[in-house]
Amino acid sequence: IRPIKRKVTMSERRFDVATLPADMQRVYSHLAEKFGEEYGLLFIFSMRTAVELHRAWNMTLLTSNILQRIKEAFGIRMTWNLGVVRLKFRVEDGG
């Protein structure tokens, strides 16, 4: 079995952060300024993934386990509290 990187060609296209809601743009710009663009995008994509998983299945334990794996794999410094209706995310801001 060949790794997927051999089948996928990388491009120079970049994610347009202007498409994010205003609050996510604020969080992204703050994290990108302190930790770099890649870290800011990793946090935003992780948060959006959790929100969509929670909306789709409303399975807090599954969403939490997936977030934990993402956190460990990418070294993201964040915590979360997944309620039935409200999801809260906290991120280390270096302060």
Side-chain angles (χ1 to χ4, degrees):
I1 298 176
R2 301 175 96 190
I4 195 162
K5 280 190 172 185
R6 293 185 182 190
K7 295 199 180 260
V8 176
T9 57
M10 303 303 274
S11 70
E12 291 298 319
R13 294 188 310 169
R14 300 177 65 93
F15 179 74
D16 184 11
V17 294
T19 61
L20 294 171
D23 56 343
M24 285 190 185
Q25 285 183 24
R26 181 182 50 80
V27 171
Y28 165 76
S29 62
H30 179 74
L31 290 175
E33 181 181 306
K34 288 195 178 247
F35 302 109
E37 178 184 13
E38 184 177 350
Y39 186 85
L41 288 174
L42 282 171
F43 178 79
I44 293 297
F45 291 149
S46 299
M47 185 172 66
R48 289 187 65 161
T49 299
V51 168
E52 295 306 322
L53 281 172
H54 198 64
R55 275 188 191 154
W57 297 327
N58 197 20
M59 296 179 76
T60 304
L61 185 59
L62 176 64
T63 304
S64 186
N65 286 340
I66 291 171
L67 272 175
Q68 185 63 38
R69 288 185 181 182
I70 291 172
K71 176 183 171 178
E72 292 169 359
F74 294 105
I76 300 173
R77 297 175 298 269
M78 66 186 253
T79 60
W80 52 86
N81 182 4
L82 306 177
V84 174
V85 178
R86 185 174 294 178
L87 307 174
K88 296 179 186 176
F89 296 92
R90 292 178 186 85
V91 64
E92 179 183 321
D93 63 359

Coordinates of all heavy atoms in Angstrom, one line a residue:
I1 N 0.9 -1.2 0.0 CA 0.0 0.0 0.0 C 0.9 1.2 0.0 O 1.8 1.4 0.8 CB -0.9 0.0 1.2 CG1 -1.8 -1.2 1.2 CG2 -1.7 1.3 1.3 CD1 -2.7 -1.4 2.4
R2 N 0.6 2.1 -0.9 CA 1.4 3.3 -1.0 C 0.8 4.4 -0.1 O -0.4 4.5 0.0 CB 1.4 3.8 -2.4 CG 2.0 2.8 -3.4 CD 1.9 3.2 -4.8 NE 3.2 3.8 -5.1 CZ 3.4 4.5 -6.2 NH1 2.4 4.7 -7.1 NH2 4.6 5.0 -6.5
P3 N 1.6 5.3 0.5 CA 1.1 6.4 1.2 C 0.3 7.3 0.4 O 0.6 7.5 -0.8 CB 2.4 7.1 1.8 CG 3.5 6.1 1.6 CD 3.1 5.2 0.5
I4 N -0.7 8.0 1.0 CA -1.6 8.9 0.3 C -0.8 10.1 -0.3 O -1.2 10.7 -1.3 CB -2.8 9.3 1.1 CG1 -3.8 9.9 0.2 CG2 -2.4 10.3 2.2 CD1 -5.2 10.0 0.8
K5 N 0.3 10.5 0.4 CA 1.0 11.7 -0.1 C 1.5 11.5 -1.5 O 1.8 12.4 -2.2 CB 2.2 12.0 0.9 CG 1.8 12.7 2.1 CD 3.0 13.2 2.8 CE 2.6 14.1 4.0 NZ 3.7 14.7 4.6
R6 N 1.8 10.3 -1.9 CA 2.2 10.0 -3.3 C 1.1 10.2 -4.3 O 1.4 10.4 -5.5 CB 2.8 8.6 -3.4 CG 4.1 8.5 -2.6 CD 4.7 7.1 -2.8 NE 5.9 7.0 -2.0 CZ 6.7 6.0 -2.1 NH1 6.5 5.1 -3.0 NH2 7.8 6.0 -1.3
K7 N -0.1 10.1 -3.9 CA -1.2 10.2 -4.8 C -1.8 11.6 -4.9 O -2.4 12.0 -5.8 CB -2.3 9.2 -4.4 CG -1.9 7.8 -4.5 CD -3.1 6.9 -4.6 CE -2.7 5.5 -4.7 NZ -2.8 5.0 -6.1
V8 N -1.6 12.4 -3.8 CA -2.1 13.7 -3.7 C -1.0 14.7 -4.0 O 0.1 14.7 -3.4 CB -2.7 14.0 -2.3 CG1 -3.1 15.4 -2.2 CG2 -3.8 13.0 -2.0
T9 N -1.2 15.6 -5.0 CA -0.3 16.6 -5.3 C -0.6 17.9 -4.5 O -1.8 18.2 -4.3 CB -0.3 16.9 -6.8 OG1 -1.6 17.4 -7.2 CG2 0.1 15.8 -7.6
M10 N 0.4 18.5 -3.9 CA 0.2 19.7 -3.1 C 0.1 20.9 -4.0 O 0.7 20.9 -5.1 CB 1.4 19.9 -2.2 CG 1.6 18.7 -1.2 SD 0.2 18.3 -0.3 CE 0.4 19.4 1.1
S11 N -0.7 21.8 -3.6 CA -0.9 23.0 -4.4 C -0.6 24.2 -3.6 O -0.4 24.2 -2.4 CB -2.4 23.1 -4.9 OG -3.2 23.3 -3.9
E12 N -0.6 25.4 -4.2 CA -0.3 26.6 -3.6 C -1.6 27.3 -3.1 O -1.6 28.5 -2.7 CB 0.5 27.5 -4.5 CG 1.9 27.1 -4.7 CD 2.7 27.0 -3.5 OE1 2.6 27.9 -2.6 OE2 3.4 26.0 -3.3
R13 N -2.7 26.7 -3.2 CA -4.0 27.3 -2.8 C -4.0 27.4 -1.3 O -3.5 26.5 -0.6 CB -5.2 26.4 -3.2 CG -5.3 26.4 -4.7 CD -6.6 25.8 -5.1 NE -6.8 24.5 -4.5 CZ -7.9 23.8 -4.6 NH1 -8.9 24.3 -5.2 NH2 -8.0 22.6 -4.0
R14 N -4.5 28.4 -0.8 CA -4.6 28.7 0.7 C -6.0 28.9 1.1 O -6.8 29.4 0.4 CB -3.7 29.9 1.0 CG -2.3 29.8 0.6 CD -1.5 31.1 0.8 NE -1.5 31.4 2.2 CZ -0.5 31.0 3.0 NH1 0.5 30.4 2.5 NH2 -0.4 31.4 4.3
F15 N -6.2 28.5 2.3 CA -7.6 28.7 2.9 C -7.8 30.2 3.1 O -7.0 30.9 3.7 CB -7.7 28.0 4.3 CG -9.0 28.1 4.9 CD1 -10.1 27.5 4.5 CD2 -9.1 29.0 6.0 CE1 -11.3 27.6 5.1 CE2 -10.4 29.1 6.6 CZ -11.5 28.4 6.2
D16 N -9.0 30.7 2.7 CA -9.3 32.1 2.8 C -10.0 32.3 4.2 O -11.2 31.9 4.4 CB -10.2 32.5 1.7 CG -10.6 34.0 1.7 OD1 -10.0 34.7 2.5 OD2 -11.5 34.4 1.0
V17 N -9.3 32.9 5.1 CA -9.9 33.1 6.5 C -11.0 34.1 6.5 O -11.7 34.2 7.5 CB -8.8 33.4 7.5 CG1 -7.8 32.3 7.7 CG2 -8.0 34.7 7.1
A18 N -11.1 34.9 5.4 CA -12.2 35.8 5.4 C -13.6 35.2 5.3 O -14.6 35.8 5.6 CB -12.0 36.8 4.2
T19 N -13.6 33.9 5.0 CA -14.9 33.1 4.9 C -15.4 32.7 6.3 O -16.5 32.2 6.4 CB -14.7 31.9 4.0 OG1 -13.7 31.0 4.5 CG2 -14.3 32.3 2.6
L20 N -14.5 32.8 7.3 CA -14.9 32.4 8.7 C -15.8 33.5 9.3 O -15.7 34.7 8.9 CB -13.6 32.3 9.5 CG -12.7 31.2 9.2 CD1 -11.4 31.3 10.0 CD2 -13.3 29.8 9.4
P21 N -16.6 33.1 10.2 CA -17.4 34.0 11.0 C -16.5 35.0 11.8 O -15.3 34.7 12.0 CB -18.2 33.2 12.0 CG -18.2 31.8 11.4 CD -16.9 31.7 10.6
A22 N -17.0 36.1 12.1 CA -16.1 37.2 12.7 C -15.4 36.7 14.0 O -14.3 37.0 14.2 CB -17.0 38.4 13.0
D23 N -16.1 36.0 14.9 CA -15.5 35.5 16.1 C -14.4 34.5 15.8 O -13.3 34.6 16.5 CB -16.5 34.9 17.1 CG -17.3 33.8 16.5 OD1 -17.3 33.6 15.3 OD2 -17.9 33.0 17.3
M24 N -14.5 33.7 14.8 CA -13.4 32.7 14.5 C -12.3 33.5 13.8 O -11.1 33.1 14.0 CB -14.0 31.6 13.6 CG -14.8 30.6 14.3 SD -15.1 29.2 13.2 CE -16.2 28.3 14.2
Q25 N -12.6 34.5 13.1 CA -11.5 35.3 12.5 C -10.7 36.0 13.6 O -9.4 36.0 13.5 CB -12.1 36.4 11.5 CG -12.5 35.9 10.2 CD -13.0 37.0 9.3 OE1 -12.6 38.1 9.5 NE2 -13.9 36.6 8.4
R26 N -11.3 36.5 14.6 CA -10.6 37.1 15.7 C -9.7 36.1 16.4 O -8.6 36.4 16.7 CB -11.7 37.7 16.7 CG -11.0 38.4 17.9 CD -12.1 38.9 18.8 NE -13.1 37.9 19.2 CZ -12.9 36.9 20.1 NH1 -11.8 36.8 20.8 NH2 -13.9 36.1 20.4
V27 N -10.2 34.9 16.7 CA -9.4 33.9 17.4 C -8.3 33.5 16.5 O -7.1 33.4 16.9 CB -10.3 32.6 17.7 CG1 -9.5 31.5 18.2 CG2 -11.3 33.0 18.8
Y28 N -8.6 33.2 15.2 CA -7.5 32.9 14.3 C -6.4 33.9 14.2 O -5.2 33.6 14.3 CB -8.1 32.6 12.9 CG -7.0 32.6 11.8 CD1 -6.2 31.5 11.7 CD2 -6.7 33.7 11.0 CE1 -5.1 31.4 10.8 CE2 -5.7 33.7 10.1 CZ -4.9 32.5 10.0 OH -3.8 32.5 9.1
S29 N -6.8 35.2 14.0 CA -5.7 36.2 13.9 C -4.9 36.3 15.2 O -3.7 36.5 15.1 CB -6.4 37.5 13.5 OG -7.2 38.0 14.5
H30 N -5.5 36.2 16.3 CA -4.8 36.2 17.6 C -3.8 35.0 17.7 O -2.6 35.2 18.0 CB -5.7 36.2 18.8 CG -5.1 36.2 20.1 ND1 -4.5 37.3 20.6 CD2 -4.9 35.2 21.0 CE1 -4.0 37.1 21.8 NE2 -4.2 35.8 22.1
L31 N -4.2 33.8 17.4 CA -3.4 32.7 17.4 C -2.3 32.7 16.4 O -1.1 32.4 16.6 CB -4.2 31.4 17.3 CG -5.1 31.0 18.5 CD1 -5.9 29.8 18.2 CD2 -4.2 30.8 19.7
A32 N -2.6 33.1 15.2 CA -1.6 33.2 14.1 C -0.5 34.2 14.4 O 0.6 34.0 14.1 CB -2.3 33.6 12.8
E33 N -0.9 35.3 15.0 CA 0.1 36.3 15.4 C 1.0 35.8 16.5 O 2.2 36.0 16.4 CB -0.7 37.5 16.0 CG 0.2 38.7 16.4 CD -0.6 39.8 16.9 OE1 -1.5 40.3 16.2 OE2 -0.2 40.3 18.1
K34 N 0.5 35.0 17.4 CA 1.4 34.5 18.5 C 2.1 33.2 18.2 O 3.3 33.1 18.6 CB 0.5 34.3 19.8 CG 0.1 35.6 20.4 CD -0.4 35.3 21.8 CE -0.7 36.6 22.5 NZ 0.1 37.0 23.5
F35 N 1.5 32.3 17.5 CA 2.0 31.0 17.3 C 2.2 30.6 15.8 O 2.7 29.5 15.5 CB 1.1 29.9 17.9 CG 0.9 30.1 19.4 CD1 -0.3 30.6 19.9 CD2 2.0 29.9 20.3 CE1 -0.5 30.7 21.2 CE2 1.8 30.1 21.6 CZ 0.6 30.5 22.1
G36 N 1.8 31.4 14.9 CA 2.0 31.1 13.5 C 0.6 30.7 12.8 O -0.3 30.3 13.4
E37 N 0.6 30.9 11.5 CA -0.6 30.7 10.7 C -1.1 29.2 10.8 O -2.2 28.9 11.0 CB -0.3 31.0 9.2 CG -1.5 30.8 8.3 CD -1.1 31.0 6.9 OE1 0.1 31.2 6.5 OE2 -2.1 31.1 6.1
E38 N -0.1 28.3 10.7 CA -0.5 26.8 10.7 C -1.2 26.5 12.1 O -2.2 25.8 12.1 CB 0.7 26.0 10.5 CG 0.4 24.5 10.5 CD 1.6 23.6 10.2 OE1 2.7 24.1 9.9 OE2 1.4 22.4 10.3
Y39 N -0.7 27.0 13.2 CA -1.3 26.7 14.5 C -2.7 27.3 14.6 O -3.6 26.6 15.1 CB -0.4 27.2 15.6 CG -0.9 26.8 17.0 CD1 -0.5 25.5 17.5 CD2 -1.7 27.6 17.7 CE1 -1.0 25.1 18.7 CE2 -2.2 27.2 19.0 CZ -1.8 26.0 19.5 OH -2.2 25.6 20.7
G40 N -2.8 28.5 14.1 CA -4.2 29.1 14.1 C -5.2 28.3 13.3 O -6.3 28.1 13.7
L41 N -4.8 27.9 12.1 CA -5.7 27.1 11.3 C -6.0 25.7 11.9 O -7.1 25.3 11.9 CB -5.1 26.9 9.9 CG -5.1 28.2 9.0 CD1 -4.3 27.9 7.7 CD2 -6.5 28.6 8.7
L42 N -5.0 25.1 12.5 CA -5.2 23.8 13.2 C -6.3 24.0 14.3 O -7.2 23.1 14.4 CB -3.9 23.3 13.8 CG -3.0 22.6 12.9 CD1 -1.6 22.3 13.6 CD2 -3.6 21.3 12.3
F43 N -6.2 25.0 15.1 CA -7.2 25.2 16.1 C -8.6 25.5 15.5 O -9.5 24.9 16.0 CB -6.8 26.4 17.0 CG -7.8 26.7 18.1 CD1 -7.9 25.9 19.2 CD2 -8.8 27.7 17.9 CE1 -8.8 26.1 20.2 CE2 -9.7 27.9 18.9 CZ -9.8 27.1 20.0
I44 N -8.7 26.3 14.5 CA -10.0 26.6 13.9 C -10.6 25.4 13.3 O -11.8 25.1 13.5 CB -9.8 27.8 12.9 CG1 -9.5 29.1 13.6 CG2 -11.1 27.9 12.0 CD1 -10.5 29.6 14.5
F45 N -9.8 24.6 12.6 CA -10.3 23.4 11.9 C -10.7 22.4 13.0 O -11.7 21.7 12.8 CB -9.3 22.8 11.0 CG -9.1 23.6 9.7 CD1 -7.9 23.6 9.1 CD2 -10.1 24.4 9.2 CE1 -7.6 24.4 8.0 CE2 -9.9 25.2 8.1 CZ -8.7 25.2 7.5
S46 N -10.0 22.3 14.1 CA -10.3 21.3 15.2 C -11.7 21.8 15.8 O -12.5 20.9 16.1 CB -9.2 21.3 16.2 OG -8.0 20.8 15.7
M47 N -11.8 23.0 16.1 CA -13.0 23.6 16.7 C -14.2 23.3 15.8 O -15.3 22.9 16.2 CB -12.8 25.0 17.0 CG -14.0 25.6 17.8 SD -13.7 27.3 18.4 CE -13.6 28.2 16.8
R48 N -14.0 23.6 14.5 CA -15.1 23.5 13.5 C -15.5 22.0 13.4 O -16.7 21.6 13.2 CB -14.8 24.1 12.2 CG -14.8 25.6 12.2 CD -14.6 26.2 10.9 NE -15.8 25.9 10.1 CZ -16.1 26.6 9.0 NH1 -15.3 27.6 8.6 NH2 -17.1 26.2 8.3
T49 N -14.5 21.1 13.4 CA -14.8 19.7 13.3 C -15.6 19.2 14.5 O -16.6 18.5 14.3 CB -13.4 18.9 13.3 OG1 -12.7 19.3 12.1 CG2 -13.7 17.4 13.2
A50 N -15.2 19.7 15.7 CA -16.0 19.3 16.9 C -17.4 19.8 16.8 O -18.4 19.1 17.2 CB -15.3 19.8 18.1
V51 N -17.6 21.0 16.4 CA -18.9 21.6 16.3 C -19.8 20.8 15.3 O -21.0 20.4 15.7 CB -18.9 23.1 15.9 CG1 -20.3 23.6 15.5 CG2 -18.3 23.9 17.0
E52 N -19.3 20.5 14.2 CA -20.0 19.7 13.2 C -20.3 18.3 13.6 O -21.4 17.8 13.4 CB -19.3 19.7 11.8 CG -19.3 21.1 11.2 CD -20.6 21.8 11.1 OE1 -21.6 21.2 10.8 OE2 -20.6 23.1 11.3
L53 N -19.3 17.6 14.3 CA -19.6 16.3 14.8 C -20.7 16.3 15.9 O -21.5 15.5 15.9 CB -18.3 15.7 15.4 CG -17.3 15.2 14.5 CD1 -16.0 14.8 15.3 CD2 -17.8 13.9 13.8
H54 N -20.6 17.3 16.7 CA -21.6 17.4 17.8 C -23.0 17.7 17.2 O -24.0 17.1 17.7 CB -21.2 18.5 18.8 CG -21.9 18.4 20.1 ND1 -21.7 17.4 20.9 CD2 -22.7 19.3 20.7 CE1 -22.4 17.5 22.0 NE2 -23.0 18.7 21.9
R55 N -23.1 18.5 16.2 CA -24.3 18.8 15.6 C -24.9 17.6 14.9 O -26.1 17.3 15.0 CB -24.2 19.9 14.5 CG -24.3 21.3 15.0 CD -24.3 22.2 13.8 NE -24.1 23.6 14.3 CZ -23.6 24.5 13.6 NH1 -23.2 24.3 12.4 NH2 -23.4 25.7 14.1
A56 N -24.1 16.8 14.2 CA -24.5 15.7 13.5 C -25.0 14.5 14.4 O -26.0 13.9 14.1 CB -23.4 15.2 12.5
W57 N -24.2 14.2 15.4 CA -24.5 13.1 16.2 C -24.9 13.3 17.6 O -25.5 12.5 18.3 CB -23.3 12.1 16.2 CG -22.9 11.6 14.9 CD1 -23.7 11.3 13.9 CD2 -21.6 11.3 14.4 NE1 -23.0 10.8 12.8 CE2 -21.7 10.8 13.1 CE3 -20.3 11.4 15.0 CZ2 -20.6 10.4 12.4 CZ3 -19.2 11.0 14.2 CH2 -19.4 10.5 12.9
N58 N -24.6 14.5 18.1 CA -24.8 14.9 19.5 C -24.3 13.8 20.5 O -24.9 13.4 21.4 CB -26.3 15.1 19.8 CG -26.5 15.9 21.0 OD1 -25.6 16.5 21.6 ND2 -27.7 15.8 21.6
M59 N -23.1 13.3 20.1 CA -22.4 12.3 20.9 C -21.2 12.9 21.6 O -20.1 13.0 21.0 CB -22.1 11.1 20.1 CG -23.3 10.4 19.5 SD -22.9 9.0 18.5 CE -22.4 7.8 19.7
T60 N -21.4 13.4 22.8 CA -20.3 14.2 23.5 C -19.1 13.3 23.7 O -18.0 13.8 23.4 CB -20.9 14.7 24.8 OG1 -22.1 15.5 24.6 CG2 -19.9 15.6 25.5
L61 N -19.2 12.1 24.1 CA -18.0 11.3 24.3 C -17.2 11.0 23.1 O -16.0 11.1 23.1 CB -18.5 9.9 25.0 CG -17.3 9.0 25.4 CD1 -16.4 9.7 26.4 CD2 -17.9 7.7 26.0
L62 N -17.9 10.7 22.0 CA -17.2 10.5 20.7 C -16.5 11.7 20.2 O -15.3 11.7 19.9 CB -18.2 10.0 19.6 CG -17.6 9.9 18.2 CD1 -16.6 8.8 18.2 CD2 -18.7 9.6 17.2
T63 N -17.2 12.9 20.3 CA -16.6 14.1 19.9 C -15.4 14.5 20.8 O -14.3 14.9 20.3 CB -17.6 15.3 20.0 OG1 -18.7 15.0 19.1 CG2 -17.0 16.6 19.5
S64 N -15.5 14.2 22.1 CA -14.4 14.5 23.0 C -13.2 13.6 22.7 O -12.0 14.1 22.7 CB -14.8 14.3 24.4 OG -13.8 14.7 25.3
N65 N -13.4 12.3 22.4 CA -12.3 11.4 22.1 C -11.6 11.8 20.8 O -10.4 11.8 20.7 CB -12.8 10.0 21.9 CG -13.2 9.4 23.3 OD1 -12.7 9.8 24.3 ND2 -14.0 8.3 23.3
I66 N -12.4 12.2 19.8 CA -11.8 12.7 18.5 C -11.0 14.0 18.7 O -9.9 14.1 18.2 CB -12.9 12.9 17.4 CG1 -13.4 11.5 17.0 CG2 -12.3 13.6 16.2 CD1 -14.7 11.6 16.2
L67 N -11.5 14.9 19.5 CA -10.8 16.1 19.8 C -9.4 15.8 20.6 O -8.4 16.4 20.3 CB -11.6 17.1 20.7 CG -12.5 18.0 20.0 CD1 -13.3 18.8 21.0 CD2 -11.7 19.0 19.1
Q68 N -9.5 14.9 21.5 CA -8.3 14.5 22.2 C -7.2 13.9 21.3 O -6.0 14.2 21.4 CB -8.6 13.4 23.3 CG -7.5 13.1 24.2 CD -7.0 14.3 25.0 OE1 -7.7 15.1 25.5 NE2 -5.7 14.4 25.2
R69 N -7.6 13.1 20.3 CA -6.7 12.6 19.3 C -6.1 13.6 18.4 O -4.9 13.6 18.1 CB -7.3 11.5 18.5 CG -7.6 10.2 19.3 CD -8.1 9.1 18.4 NE -8.4 8.0 19.2 CZ -8.8 6.8 18.7 NH1 -9.1 6.7 17.5 NH2 -9.0 5.8 19.5
I70 N -6.9 14.6 18.0 CA -6.4 15.7 17.2 C -5.5 16.5 18.1 O -4.4 16.9 17.6 CB -7.6 16.6 16.7 CG1 -8.4 15.8 15.7 CG2 -7.1 17.9 16.2 CD1 -9.7 16.5 15.3
K71 N -5.8 16.8 19.3 CA -5.0 17.6 20.2 C -3.6 16.9 20.3 O -2.5 17.6 20.2 CB -5.6 17.7 21.6 CG -4.8 18.4 22.6 CD -5.5 18.5 23.9 CE -4.6 19.0 25.0 NZ -5.3 19.0 26.3
E72 N -3.6 15.7 20.6 CA -2.3 14.9 20.8 C -1.5 14.8 19.4 O -0.3 15.0 19.5 CB -2.6 13.5 21.3 CG -3.1 13.6 22.7 CD -3.6 12.2 23.2 OE1 -3.6 11.2 22.4 OE2 -4.0 12.1 24.4
A73 N -2.2 14.6 18.3 CA -1.5 14.4 17.1 C -0.8 15.7 16.6 O 0.3 15.7 16.0 CB -2.4 13.9 16.0
F74 N -1.5 16.9 16.8 CA -0.9 18.1 16.3 C -0.4 19.0 17.4 O 0.1 20.1 17.1 CB -2.0 18.9 15.6 CG -2.5 18.2 14.3 CD1 -3.7 17.5 14.3 CD2 -1.6 18.2 13.2 CE1 -4.1 16.8 13.1 CE2 -2.0 17.5 12.0 CZ -3.2 16.8 12.0
G75 N -0.4 18.6 18.7 CA 0.2 19.4 19.7 C -0.5 20.7 20.0 O 0.1 21.7 20.3
I76 N -1.8 20.7 19.9 CA -2.6 21.9 20.1 C -2.9 22.0 21.6 O -3.3 21.0 22.3 CB -4.0 21.8 19.4 CG1 -3.7 21.7 17.9 CG2 -4.8 23.0 19.7 CD1 -5.0 21.4 17.1
R77 N -2.7 23.2 22.2 CA -2.9 23.5 23.6 C -4.3 24.0 23.8 O -4.5 25.2 23.8 CB -1.8 24.4 24.1 CG -0.4 23.8 24.0 CD 0.7 24.9 24.3 NE 0.7 26.0 23.5 CZ 1.4 26.2 22.4 NH1 2.2 25.2 22.0 NH2 1.4 27.3 21.7
M78 N -5.2 23.1 24.0 CA -6.6 23.5 24.1 C -7.4 22.6 25.1 O -7.0 21.4 25.2 CB -7.3 23.6 22.8 CG -7.5 22.3 22.1 SD -8.2 22.5 20.4 CE -9.9 21.9 20.7
T79 N -8.4 23.1 25.7 CA -9.3 22.3 26.4 C -10.8 22.6 25.9 O -11.0 23.6 25.2 CB -9.3 22.6 27.9 OG1 -9.6 23.9 28.2 CG2 -7.9 22.3 28.5
W80 N -11.7 21.8 26.3 CA -13.1 21.9 25.9 C -14.0 21.4 26.9 O -13.7 20.6 27.8 CB -13.3 21.2 24.6 CG -12.9 19.8 24.6 CD1 -13.6 18.7 25.0 CD2 -11.6 19.3 24.2 NE1 -12.9 17.6 24.9 CE2 -11.6 17.9 24.4 CE3 -10.4 19.9 23.8 CZ2 -10.5 17.1 24.2 CZ3 -9.4 19.1 23.5 CH2 -9.4 17.7 23.7
N81 N -15.2 21.9 26.8 CA -16.4 21.5 27.7 C -17.5 21.4 26.7 O -18.1 22.4 26.2 CB -16.7 22.5 28.8 CG -17.8 22.0 29.7 OD1 -18.3 20.9 29.5 ND2 -18.2 22.9 30.6
L82 N -17.9 20.1 26.4 CA -19.0 19.9 25.5 C -20.3 19.6 26.2 O -20.5 18.5 26.8 CB -18.6 18.7 24.6 CG -17.3 18.7 23.9 CD1 -17.0 17.4 23.1 CD2 -17.2 19.9 23.0
G83 N -21.2 20.6 26.2 CA -22.5 20.4 26.8 C -23.5 19.9 25.8 O -23.2 19.7 24.6
V84 N -24.7 19.8 26.2 CA -25.7 19.4 25.3 C -26.0 20.4 24.3 O -26.2 20.2 23.1 CB -27.0 19.0 26.1 CG1 -28.2 18.7 25.2 CG2 -26.8 17.9 27.1
V85 N -26.1 21.7 24.7 CA -26.4 22.8 23.8 C -25.2 23.7 23.5 O -25.0 24.1 22.4 CB -27.5 23.7 24.4 CG1 -27.9 24.8 23.5 CG2 -28.8 22.8 24.6
R86 N -24.4 23.9 24.5 CA -23.3 24.8 24.3 C -21.9 24.1 24.4 O -21.7 23.3 25.2 CB -23.3 25.9 25.5 CG -22.3 26.9 25.4 CD -22.5 28.0 26.4 NE -23.7 28.7 26.1 CZ -24.2 29.6 26.8 NH1 -23.6 30.0 27.9 NH2 -25.4 30.2 26.5
L87 N -21.1 24.5 23.4 CA -19.7 23.9 23.4 C -18.7 25.1 23.8 O -18.8 26.2 23.2 CB -19.4 23.4 22.0 CG -20.3 22.5 21.4 CD1 -20.0 22.2 19.9 CD2 -20.4 21.2 22.1
K88 N -17.8 24.8 24.7 CA -16.9 25.8 25.1 C -15.5 25.3 24.8 O -15.1 24.2 25.2 CB -17.0 26.1 26.6 CG -18.3 26.7 27.0 CD -18.3 26.9 28.5 CE -19.7 27.4 29.0 NZ -19.7 27.5 30.5
F89 N -14.7 26.2 24.2 CA -13.3 25.9 23.9 C -12.4 26.9 24.5 O -12.7 28.1 24.5 CB -13.0 25.9 22.4 CG -13.8 24.9 21.6 CD1 -15.1 25.1 21.1 CD2 -13.3 23.6 21.4 CE1 -15.8 24.2 20.4 CE2 -14.0 22.6 20.8 CZ -15.3 22.9 20.3
R90 N -11.3 26.4 25.1 CA -10.3 27.3 25.7 C -9.0 26.9 25.0 O -8.6 25.8 24.9 CB -10.2 27.0 27.2 CG -11.4 27.5 27.9 CD -11.3 27.2 29.4 NE -12.6 27.5 30.1 CZ -13.6 26.7 30.2 NH1 -13.5 25.5 29.7 NH2 -14.7 27.0 30.8
V91 N -8.2 28.0 24.7 CA -6.9 27.8 24.1 C -5.9 28.6 24.8 O -6.2 29.7 25.3 CB -7.0 28.2 22.6 CG1 -7.3 29.7 22.4 CG2 -5.7 27.8 21.9
E92 N -4.7 28.0 24.9 CA -3.6 28.7 25.6 C -3.2 29.9 24.7 O -2.9 29.7 23.5 CB -2.4 27.8 25.8 CG -1.2 28.5 26.4 CD 0.0 27.5 26.6 OE1 -0.2 26.4 26.9 OE2 1.1 28.0 26.3
D93 N -3.2 31.1 25.2 CA -2.8 32.2 24.4 C -1.4 32.8 24.7 O -1.0 33.8 24.2 CB -3.9 33.3 24.6 CG -3.9 33.9 26.0 OD1 -3.2 33.4 26.9 OD2 -4.7 34.8 26.2
G94 N -0.7 32.1 25.5 CA 0.7 32.5 25.8 C 0.8 33.5 26.8 O 1.9 34.0 27.2
G95 N -0.3 34.0 27.4 CA -0.3 35.0 28.4 C -0.3 34.6 29.8 O -0.3 33.5 30.2

